[in-house]
Each structure stands twice: as structure tokens, then as C-alpha cells.
Amino acid sequence: MKSEEPKAAPGNTILAKPTTTQQNAMEVNGPTKNNVASPTSQFQSEAQPPAPVSDPHIPREQWGGKHEFLLSCIGYCVGLGNVWRFPYLCYRNGGGVFLIPYFIMLFFTGVPLFLMELSLGQYGAAGPITVWKCCPLLKGIGIGMLCVSTLVCLYYNVIIAWTFYYLGSSFQSPLPWSCEAPANAALCANISSGNGSFQSPSEVFWNEKVLGVVHSKGLHDPGPVRWPLALCLLAAWIIIFLCMLKGIRSSGKVVYVTATFPYFVLLVLIIKGATLEGSLQGVAFYLTPDWSRLASAQVWNDAASQVFYSLGIGVGGLLSMASYNKFDNNVIRDTLIIVVGNCSTSFFAGFAIFSILGHMAWRKGVPVGEVADTGPGLAFVAYPEALALLPGSVFWSILFFLMLFMLGIDTLFGNMEGITTAVLDEFPQLRQNMMHKTLFLAALCFAFYLMGLLLISDGGIYWFTLIDSFSTSFGLIIIALFMCIGISFFYGVNQFCQDIIDMICHCPPWCTKFLFFFKACWVFITPFLLLFILTYIFFEMYNTSLHYGSYVYPFWGKALGVCIGMACCMQIPIWAGVAIFKESGTLKDRFQKAIRPLNSWRANTLSSSGQTAEQAEPERVDGPYTVNLTSMDFNAMTWQLDSNA
């Protein structure tokens, strides 16, 4: 990460090194007229506008208001996983008992890493790659974040395409996945009589009409693209492009709707669910404690992974959004607000889900466990089937899939922001030229669309599951682990805490007390828990097979998934090696230079706090450097020669 330009402390004059000819002339013959720069010419030279090197800072956008940042972060964190993953994990891992390991992992892993990422982005005012000028050795962490964000964006918008398809199908009455639809009459009759295959109309609609997975034999047989889904995916990327066209100035306004609408829908669904017969059985199934589950390592791993993934840590979205904050923003307060809002949403979403699933189980006369599901199976099979049983099912279906669309698009905003901010910071000329920025964003969205076509083919769900399982698996944990260790031990945990205090100008006493807790977590507790999660993931990955439904992935498919995860985390050692190679000296000297912040790291501090460059602590100057001699230097040399004579 070493720049080709000479590094100097802000405000310090870059010295020019005399050439060999000039040195010889001064040493042998003394200063000549040609070597001496006249005061007038020297003054004119100093009065000239500085080269772009001396002022590389390009004005950076900032959020239009405090609420835009909070809503963007809440919308980014509160995603589909809060609705379709947390309730399922809660009932599977002991009901209400699951909240104990969940909150323990939240306080000791989720909140410290969340604060670290927000603070790093806000203090450095840079994206996931450029921000590592605080420690060039760890630039690979930012590259790894960019890889994870790319994989997540690739498959996440496919979910929005599915949502569009269901949303368009919801404007039919009766719903095409309900038993009232004429096409499903024979199927529902067979289910009622107990004859034939026990597949509900919603399962048939999902597998045959939407995915077309029945026409594929597996991962090796993707089949043709399903063009109705291709149009939905194209519409989804066009919406993303338009919403992000002006950066945070446009996406910051969109979140006022997309981040608040899901809460309205969840509240309506909870109220509706409370009026249905059998809803209490569903809620009881959701929360009934099973204390014996606390002894299971899987419960603790599920709690940690849910906290980790629902907060969006290690992907770069949080870091990028925080980089557009004002320097003196209270990042600790924002962390607590966002984390509490995210976890509360996960908990209360369970009531909206299981109250209606309880009603469906009561209507069918089966236990709630037989109708409960997780992931796409809950959002596109179980819950739509439950909504089809309600009076006014068309209205409830439209409302539910609008909520899924809002949840998905907010999360995608954050991931795309991580990618675009990283690229624009590395190539700042794109940020200055609106035409170039627009073309870059259009090319990025179109490239994602073309790559996403594989995931909406007949066998696309197999590829979707593969990327989903490994893109945010061990690779993401390793990235977060190195981020925690790097900031704590290479950059310095005391310096990092001081940076946070510098940002919070009037740091209240409670903030200082919180920092003692966070310091202990960053140094000891959080790395230990991340190692526990990582160990369990490797153990589970080795002992269990990857499957979708009844299809078991072949060995080469699982190996491909491991390669996907390795491609993300291997960026760390690769770019660390590049940083060490660029330095000079012994291996120890190279390492020490590679972990020292670059001179531009504290530029945001100076410009935001109003300090002058002379008040700043002098920073390192990397050689080689040059020295510009003035007439005063030559006069002093002449006086010295005369005195020696």
C-alpha cells in the first residue's frame, strides 16, 4: 500500500534531494550562481499553487441528516434473516432459552465488532480498502470484504427477483398457490384424502412454477434461464441502480420508506395473528423453553452466527456507511441504538411468523413443527400457504411480499455501498465526474445481472444454496477475526480507543466506561469467541454434507464452495505479503513499516477538528526524499567556509 509519492506530515514542505551533480559542485567549488535560487524566484516558486500531491483530499459526501444514517444502518442490518432465520433458530434451539446464548454472544461479539467497524469507517472517512492506510499490512481485509460483498450482492438480488415474482402473482384472486385455484383442485383433493404425494400447492408452485428445479438433475445441470425470473431480476437491478445513482443523497432518502415500512407490516401481522384461532399454540411453540439445550454447542454456535450475520459485520457495508458521517458523531450511541433495534426486530418478527403458522397448523390439524421452516422455505412456501388461508388473502400476500422487498433492498443498499465506496475511494476521479460514476454503477449492476442469470436457471437454486452457504461462512469469520486482532495489536487498542474519544468531542462518563468493556472484548473475549465459531464451522463442514431438499451435493461441489470461502480470506496473507515486499530493509524492518499508519490517515482528524498542520504530531517521512535549498542555505554555507578559512 506504499504510495509512489513521498509521504509528509500535513502542512510540511516536501524537501527535494539535491542531485549528485549539485552535491559535487557545492562540496568542491562552493555554491555557484546557477545553484542559488534568487529570493524572488524562490518566493514565486513557493507562491505557486501546490501540486495535486500536496492536497489529495477530494470533498466527500455526508449524510443529509442524522436519521438517514441510523435508518440506513437499521435497514441494512434488519434483513430477511431477521424474519426467516431467527424465529426458526429460536424454536429449534430451546425456544425462549435460545435468548440466553443469543444475548451473551450479542454483548461479547456482536456489539464490540459493530462498534469497531463503525468507528474505523467514521474516523478514517474511507471505504473498506482505503481505510486500511491505518495499517497497510491489513489491506487484504478490505479486499476480502469486497469479495464477500460481491458474492452477497450476486445472490441477494435473486431473492428480490423471487419476491417480485410472488408480488406480481399476488394480484390474482384466488392466489395461484392456494387450494381455491382451479389448477390445484385435484392436488388438494389428494392431500385431503391422504392419496398421492403429500406436496402442498405452495410447494408445487415454488418448485415448478418459480424455480423449475424439477427440470434439473443437480449442480451439474443448470438448464435454461427462466425468463420470467430474468425480467424480475432485471427490474430489481434497475431499481438498485436508480436508488444509488446519486450515492447517499438518493439512497439516504429512500430508506425513510424502505426502513420503516417493514415495521408497519410486522405490527399489522402481529395484530392480525393475535385474532386467529391457534395463534397461541404457535407462539407457545416459538417460546417454550427447553433448558437442556443450553448444554449443546450447536445452540451457542447458532446464537453467535445469527448475531454475526444479522448485524452485517465484516462485509464492509457498515464501514462504508459510517465513512459518510460527521467526524464528531457519537458512534457509541449509534451502535447501541442500531443493535437494540435490530435484535428487537428479530424477536418480535417471531410473533408475526408463528402466530399465523400456528393458525395454519390448527386448520390442518397437525403440530406446529410440521409447518415451520427456515430460509426461502419459510418465506416462499410455508408463510404464503398460511396467508392463503386468511380472509382477504390477496391483501395479506401483497403486504407480506412488499415487506420482503423492502427488507431485501435495504440490505442490498448496504452491500452495494460497500462495493461502490471501496472503488470510488481507490479511484477518486470517478467521484468527481458524475458521468463516469454513472457509467461505473451501470456497468457494475449489469455485470451482477449477467452473473445472476445462472442462479435463476432451472438448477439455479443449487448454485444459490452453494454460494449462500459458503460466501458468509468461515471466510467471513476469518476476516472479522483478523480485523479484531489487527486493530487491537497492530494498530493498538489504546490508540483506537483514543481515536473514538477524539471523535466524541464531549465524551460523557458512560461512554468512557463502555470503552473499558469494549477494550477487554477486542483484546480477549471477542477473538476467543470467533475462534470457537470458526472451529465449530470447520468441524460441522467436515462431518456433514451439503444438501438442498433430497439432493446431496457431490464432493466437487462442496470443494467449490470451500474455494469460494478461501478466495475471500486468502486476500489477507496475499496483500500482507505485497505490503511487506514494497518496504525496504530486513524482514523485521519491513514488517514494522507495514503496520505503521500512512501519513494521510489522520487527515480527516485535522480537517474535522480544525487543527493546523503545525499542531499535528509529525508523521514519518519515507525515503527517498528530496531537499530544495534556498539562498539562506547557501549564505550559511559561505559563512561556514569563510570561518574555516
Side-chain angles (χ1 to χ4, degrees):
M1 192 170 174
K2 183 177 176 183
S3 175
E4 297 177 358
E5 302 158 354
K7 304 173 186 176
N12 294 348
T13 303
I14 299 178
L15 302 177
K17 184 177 179 180
T19 63
T20 305
T21 305
Q22 291 173 333
Q23 288 178 348
N24 296 337
M26 287 186 292
E27 291 173 0
V28 178
N29 302 322
T32 62
K33 184 176 180 179
N34 293 335
N35 296 120
V36 180
S38 66
T40 305
S41 62
Q42 179 67 24
F43 176 80
Q44 292 175 349
S45 176
E46 293 180 354
Q48 291 178 353
V53 175
S54 59
D55 187 19
H57 182 69
I58 295 176
R60 190 179 185 84
E61 295 175 306
Q62 288 189 337
W63 295 102
K66 178 64 184 172
H67 298 97
E68 289 185 10
F69 171 68
L70 287 175
L71 288 176
S72 295
C73 286
I74 291 176
Y76 169 68
C77 296
V78 178
L80 297 170
N82 298 71
V83 174
W84 72 24
R85 193 168 188 266
F86 178 84
Y88 172 80
L89 291 178
C90 200
Y91 98 79
R92 191 183 75 174
N93 292 307
V97 172
F98 180 71
L99 297 178
I100 297 176
Y102 178 77
F103 281 111
I104 290 177
M105 291 296 182
L106 175 68
F107 289 133
F108 291 106
T109 303
V111 178
L113 289 174
F114 196 93
L115 176 62
M116 175 176 283
E117 197 163 338
L118 285 189
S119 302
L120 193 61
Q122 181 172 308
Y123 188 84
I129 299 177
T130 311
V131 77
W132 290 105
K133 55 191 174 183
C134 70
C135 183
L137 185 75
L138 302 178
K139 182 179 180 180
I141 294 178
I143 306 292
M145 288 180 174
L146 190 64
C147 294
V148 174
S149 296
T150 301
L151 292 170
V152 171
C153 289
L154 177 62
Y155 76 82
Y156 213 88
N157 217 12
V158 174
I159 302 176
I160 298 180
W162 294 339
T163 304
F164 270 157
Y165 190 91
Y166 270 85
L167 184 61
S169 302
S170 297
F171 286 92
Q172 306 176 36
S173 182
L175 294 174
W177 55 83
S178 67
C179 281
E180 298 177 3
N184 299 326
L187 180 62
C188 293
N190 290 335
I191 294 176
S192 301
S193 61
N195 299 324
S197 174
F198 189 77
Q199 262 198 333
S200 65
S202 61
E203 290 178 296
V204 173
F205 184 82
W206 168 245
N207 291 322
E208 297 184 9
K209 301 292 185 181
V210 181
L211 299 180
V213 68
V214 294
H215 306 298
S216 175
K217 298 178 181 179
L219 198 65
H220 64 284
D221 181 28
V225 172
R226 302 189 65 80
W227 292 109
L229 284 181
L231 294 177
C232 294
L233 183 64
L234 180 62
W237 277 117
I238 290 176
I239 291 176
I240 294 294
F241 170 76
L242 294 177
C243 291
M244 298 193 63
L245 187 58
K246 295 184 178 180
I248 60 172
R249 287 181 297 170
S250 55
S251 63
K253 302 298 185 292
V254 175
V255 293
Y256 279 103
V257 177
T258 58
T260 56
F261 182 77
Y263 288 95
F264 167 74
V265 177
L266 284 176
L267 180 61
V268 171
L269 290 175
I270 289 174
I271 295 174
K272 177 61 179 178
T275 64
L276 299 175
E277 190 74 27
S279 60
L280 291 180
Q281 285 82 354
V283 173
F285 184 81
Y286 170 48
L287 295 177
T288 299
D290 181 6
W291 297 97
S292 63
R293 296 290 294 163
L294 286 177
S296 172
Q298 180 186 2
V299 175
W300 293 86
N301 177 73
D302 286 346
S305 60
Q306 174 61 22
V307 167
F308 197 87
Y309 300 140
S310 67
L311 291 177
I313 299 169
V315 185
L318 293 172
L319 201 152
S320 297
M321 289 188 287
S323 69
Y324 299 107
N325 271 339
K326 294 182 179 179
F327 182 77
D328 58 353
N329 177 61
N330 191 331
V331 69
I332 298 180
R333 178 196 59 203
D334 288 353
T335 296
L336 298 178
I337 293 174
I338 296 167
V339 169
V340 170
N342 173 69
C343 298
S344 301
T345 305
S346 298
F347 179 69
F348 286 107
F351 290 95
I353 297 298
F354 276 93
S355 60
I356 293 182
L357 290 182
H359 174 68
M360 182 172 72
W362 174 80
R363 290 279 297 267
K364 289 186 171 184
V366 298
V368 181
E370 291 190 12
V371 299
D373 203 349
T374 184
L378 172 65
F380 299 108
V381 178
Y383 210 74
E385 183 180 355
L387 294 175
L389 301 175
L390 302 180
S393 57
V394 171
F395 169 76
W396 296 112
S397 181
I398 293 174
L399 205 62
F400 174 72
F401 287 111
L402 274 177
M403 180 190 72
L404 289 187
F405 167 71
M406 300 293 184
L407 289 172
I409 204 168
D410 271 344
T411 303
L412 200 56
F413 279 159
N415 288 312
M416 285 292 291
E417 194 63 59
I419 297 174
T420 56
T421 301
V423 176
L424 293 179
D425 284 347
E426 289 295 301
F427 303 96
Q429 60 272 19
L430 293 176
R431 196 185 297 276
Q432 290 181 311
N433 192 311
M434 187 61 186
M435 176 63 69
H436 293 170
K437 182 180 177 181
T438 302
L439 292 176
F440 161 71
L441 184 60
L444 182 65
C445 292
F446 186 66
F448 274 126
Y449 171 72
L450 293 180
M451 291 187 291
L453 292 178
L454 173 64
L455 306 184
I456 55 173
S457 59
D458 286 342
I461 188 63
Y462 299 123
W463 289 94
F464 174 92
T465 305
L466 182 72
I467 298 175
D468 182 30
S469 300
F470 287 96
S471 62
T472 55
S473 182
F474 64 90
L476 187 59
I477 303 296
I478 292 175
I479 288 174
L481 177 62
F482 273 88
M483 179 178 69
C484 187
I485 294 175
I487 293 297
S488 299
F489 297 100
F490 293 166
Y491 182 73
V493 67
N494 292 326
Q495 179 61 58
F496 190 65
C497 291
Q498 184 60 48
D499 293 343
I500 296 176
I501 294 175
D502 291 343
M503 288 190 292
I504 307 174
C505 298
H506 306 287
C507 185
W510 64 268
C511 285
T512 307
K513 294 178 181 178
F514 264 106
L515 282 179
F516 286 111
F517 166 75
F518 290 130
K519 186 185 295 186
C521 289
W522 290 329
V523 175
F524 300 108
I525 304 175
T526 303
F528 172 77
L529 292 177
L530 289 177
L531 284 174
F532 162 74
I533 300 171
L534 192 61
T535 303
Y536 190 87
I537 288 176
F538 282 130
F539 177 80
E540 189 178 45
M541 187 169 59
Y542 179 78
N543 289 282
T544 59
S545 59
L546 180 64
H547 61 88
Y548 174 78
S550 60
Y551 173 75
V552 179
Y553 281 70
F555 175 79
W556 67 268
K558 192 173 181 180
L560 180 61
V562 173
C563 292
I564 291 175
M566 290 295 294
C568 299
C569 60
M570 283 302 294
Q571 304 298 324
I572 300 175
I574 291 174
W575 288 94
V578 171
I580 292 176
F581 177 78
K582 285 186 175 181
E583 300 294 345
S584 59
T586 64
L587 183 61
K588 181 180 179 181
D589 293 337
R590 290 168 181 255
F591 179 81
Q592 290 177 343
K593 290 178 182 179
I595 64 175
R596 295 171 65 184
L598 299 182
N599 298 317
S600 56
W601 168 240
R602 301 190 186 281
N604 185 46
T605 314
L606 297 176
S607 61
S608 302
S609 59
Q611 297 179 4
T612 61
E614 289 75 16
Q615 294 172 327
E617 180 183 356
E619 301 192 43
R620 64 183 174 117
V621 178
D622 291 338
Y625 61 91
T626 57
V627 179
N628 284 328
L629 299 180
T630 65
S631 58
M632 295 297 295
D633 298 312
F634 296 126
N635 292 337
M637 186 177 296
T638 303
W639 175 84
Q640 185 177 5
L641 293 173
D642 293 340
S643 62
N644 291 337

